Amino acid sequence: QVQLVESGGGLVQPGGSLRLSCAASGIIFSITNMGWYRQAPGKQREFVARITSGGSTRYADSVKSRFTISRDNAKKTVYLQMNSLKPEDTAVYYCKGDRLNSEYWGQGTQVTVSS
């Protein structure tokens, strides 16, 4: 059974930082591409960042230079370091894994950026 479990969300002031984690089980993590998506209230889910099994990364323009995605294959965990957070980053953040024709989603973690 595949499980992706996100953690690390919370309330942070504008300009602050958070690190999200997503722990995977039930998949061969090292050959699975991993990513982060987010969904703000009343909006569609949107792409945030992706890291391939080979370590290549890609970011949405809105988070480039502020967010960093990384992975630890030994711990089967993908991270999203978020710096210089803005109120518009407020959303539920979801972890996604994909390989070939399969994709897996976590349950999400809330990030709220507010003073």
Side-chain angles (χ1 to χ4, degrees), residues 15-19 63 65-68 80-86 89:
S17 297
L18 280 177
R19 189 176 82 153
V63 307
S65 80
R66 299 189 297 122
F67 291 10
T68 302
L80 186 68
Q81 178 67 44
M82 306 186 294
N83 299 329
S84 302
L85 282 161
K86 304 175 181 181
D89 295 317

Side-chain angles (χ1 to χ4, degrees), residues 9-52:
L11 173 64
V12 63
Q13 292 187 341
S17 297
L18 280 177
R19 189 176 82 153
L20 305 183
S21 300
C22 171
S25 60
I27 57 174
I28 306 176
F29 184 81
S30 61
I31 59 173
T32 302
N33 304 311
M34 301 298 297
W36 289 94
Y37 288 70
R38 67 187 182 186
Q39 188 167 18
K43 295 188 176 181
Q44 289 189 332
R45 191 173 297 189
E46 65 176 5
F47 167 77
V48 175
R50 187 172 188 261
I51 184 166
T52 67

